[in-house]
Amino acid sequence: MICFALFSWYPMVREIVLSFQQNNFVDPGKWVGFENFRTVFADPAFWAAWLNTAAFSGLALVIGYAVPFVLAVVLNELKHAKAYLRFVVYLPVMLPPAVAVLLFKWFYDPGSGLFNQALGVVHIPPLSWLDSTSTALISLVIVSTWMNLGTGTLIYLAALQSIPGDLYESAELDGAGLLKRVRHVTIPQTKLILLVMLLLQIVATMQVFIEPYLLTGGGPENATVTVAYLMYQYAFNFGDFGGGSALGLMLMVVLLVFSTIYLRVSREEAER
Amino acid sequence: MRTLVSPLALRTPRGRIVYWTVLVVTVVGFTGAFVFPLFWMVTGALKSPDELAQIPPSFFPKTFDFQVYADAWDQLQLGVFLKNTVLYAGGAWLFTLAVDVTAAYALSKLRPVLGKLVLGAMLATLMIPPMVLLLPMYLVAKDVPLVHADLLNTPWAIWLPAAANGFFVFLLKRFFDSIPKELLEAAEIDGASPLRILWSIVLPVSRPIIGVVSILSVVTVWKDFVWPLLVLPETEKMSISVGIASLSAQMPQNVLIASLVIASLPTILVFFVFQRSIMSGLTAGSLKG
């Protein structure tokens, strides 16, 4: 018993210790007060990074939040090819993100890339996807959405399947049309899951790193610098760990707000 | 079970037409959006550089030259990267099971003092997004407190953080909680030690959840990019994702694409085999609370 307790307690303590160290390790070495924050604030990329991160999250929400829900509603109605569709929609999630991102880098290629070729077929002039300040961020959102769509779709699908059928039946008897039924039955019944996913998505998309790292390097002209990417740059390209940590801390504060709301909502969901 | 659209409406001629249209559009759309890019990747690798650059592109490669896959394997040291990744994922899997199963078992069945506090502390780690902890974690890996070991460029840098997964502990604990007490008490009366009970009773009945945790932990480590990028900077030690990404600029396009195919094969295969477990793990994850 003692032996086992030792074996199981030690890793737990380690985990706790680790998690505390991670939190408190903001400023290693000499204490410089708010110096790091001042450095970071003065960086022209700083505001660009926050704006881009917010824009990325916002766009990812608009596309990546509504689309999976619609897909799930449609999938839930279909009686054929269900297994195939579920499998296929989750396929990109299983790809290593680095593979997916590099694959899209090739698709975005301004010359022979698949996307411009496809546009050419319908006689639309080629876009410069990653190389222009106006399309670069959107291009990142597209990759990210493609990669992660499956998760949301399958989670919504599971939630939809738990809606009791007689709710739809009585709504229909009351004369509710298709859209009304979606509005007054489907959405209220899945409200908590929708909210949980919204918060999860915000937290996930605000940490975006791999897309700008592999696709654009933050360019062109800081159009795709995100907070997480800037943090990485500070620590590993500029050798300024303090500045990077200051950014990390700011990001953490913002995300903790969403996480806390998430915790509350998901607790409500669990109690239901 | 009825859903949004009533079965009656589906049986009308108009309902049937709409249903089949939606079905066909969905199947074609999904295939186009999610399968076609993969098809393009696999066939793209078979094309010669000239054919790749040609406009308009060819749908099927003219030649089926698998040589490029062999080239990718050699030039990119994919063998080394794959071996590394297997080592990292496999080790992380063993550590995850050893640490998280015992932790969850202790929290669920042995009910130690402060157990609730410990569980709370573990769950709290889920609240903190991994990205913001990147730098402090890097420092920890570079110089582990107390023992002062440098884990950079060693598998330990992957294994240990992967094992400290509060979500898995939570999943396992919830499953262990559902195992009837009587079963364990009977074994205890027969004189079995807690370790023995864990091994001979709890583990065999927990096979489904352990399967889910195993697959999730292996796939997570396999797919991870940022962490291995930081802690395994030596080319010889890189995982496959990092390796391909860091060498991508120097490679001819078709060789690079071939290596993308090779890198994605393992996770796709795992998905083919274990899709049920993976999807059930997914829904379990969404409903945690």
Side-chain angles (χ1 to χ4, degrees), chain A residues 189-264:
Chain A
Q189 285 290 312
T190 46
K191 201 174 71 194
L192 278 174
I193 272 284
L194 283 171
L195 199 53
V196 165
M197 290 297 289
L198 179 73
L199 294 161
L200 267 185
Q201 267 233 321
I202 295 175
V203 173
T205 50
M206 287 199 71
Q207 300 179 61
V208 57
F209 169 81
I210 180 168
E211 291 90 346
Y213 177 81
L214 284 178
L215 285 177
T216 58
E221 295 165 40
N222 285 341
T224 55
V225 176
T226 63
V227 177
Y229 181 68
L230 193 63
M231 180 183 96
Y232 170 88
Q233 277 197 315
Y234 261 92
F236 297 98
N237 293 355
F238 312 154
D240 180 1
F241 243 76
S245 303
L247 275 172
L249 189 68
M250 285 184 244
L251 187 59
M252 178 147 85
V253 171
V254 173
L255 292 183
L256 271 181
V257 173
F258 290 112
S259 296
T260 315
I261 310 173
Y262 163 72
L263 194 68
R264 287 218 159 151

Side-chain angles (χ1 to χ4, degrees), chain B residues 35-276:
Chain B
V35 182
F36 183 70
L38 302 180
F39 164 82
W40 201 248
M41 171 169 77
V42 175
T43 54
L46 295 171
K47 296 171 185 169
S48 65
D50 291 340
E51 197 183 349
L52 267 179
Q54 130 196 343
I55 298 169
S58 49
F59 194 73
F60 282 107
K62 287 188 200 101
T63 53
F64 278 86
D65 189 4
F66 287 95
Q67 184 56 36
V68 62
Y69 283 98
D71 288 349
W73 185 271
D74 295 336
Q75 289 180 33
L76 276 155
Q77 315 170 321
L78 285 187
V80 178
F81 292 153
L82 270 178
K83 206 184 77 207
N84 290 342
T85 316
V86 168
L87 177 74
Y88 300 145
W93 170 62
L94 288 177
F95 269 93
T96 303
L97 284 192
V99 173
D100 295 354
V101 166
T102 48
Y105 176 64
L107 285 172
S108 164
K109 293 299 171 199
L110 304 182
R111 303 205 168 278
V113 233
L114 297 179
K116 277 216 159 133
L117 192 77
V118 174
L119 184 69
M122 285 182 172
L123 288 180
T125 61
L126 295 181
M127 303 304 304
I128 302 161
M131 206 64 214
V132 301
L133 295 181
L134 208 59
L135 301 185
M137 273 180 75
Y138 176 79
L139 291 181
V140 170
K142 202 173 169 189
D143 182 16
V144 180
L146 299 178
V147 286
H148 294 295
D150 183 359
L151 302 183
L152 295 191
N153 285 315
T154 68
W156 297 98
I158 302 284
W159 293 344
L160 296 180
N165 188 317
F167 175 54
F168 290 159
V169 173
F170 174 75
L171 266 189
L172 290 163
K173 178 185 178 285
R174 205 170 52 170
F175 192 89
F176 291 166
D177 283 346
S178 69
I179 299 173
K181 242 191 179 144
E182 292 75 20
L183 203 64
L184 305 186
E185 274 163 6
E188 217 170 310
I189 291 165
D190 288 344
S193 68
L195 200 55
R196 166 90 206 203
I197 295 177
L198 172 66
W199 185 256
S200 339
I201 299 175
V202 174
L203 285 189
V205 297
S206 313
R207 227 178 273 156
I209 193 75
I210 288 176
V212 169
V213 168
S214 302
I215 296 163
L216 287 182
S217 74
V218 168
V219 171
T220 311
V221 172
W222 197 281
K223 283 170 56 180
D224 199 7
F225 181 80
V226 189
W227 184 242
L229 172 75
L230 296 188
V231 295
L232 303 163
E234 255 174 53
T235 310
E236 293 296 308
K237 298 279 163 55
M238 281 175 179
S239 72
I240 185 133
S241 292
V242 180
I244 289 179
S246 67
L247 298 180
S248 65
Q250 308 150 22
M251 289 295 129
Q253 189 117 56
N254 58 345
V255 176
L256 173 66
I257 299 163
S259 58
L260 293 182
V261 176
I262 296 174
S264 48
L265 270 182
T267 45
I268 299 285
L269 282 180
V270 165
F271 185 42
F272 259 107
V273 180
F274 297 110
Q275 37 165 325
R276 199 172 291 254

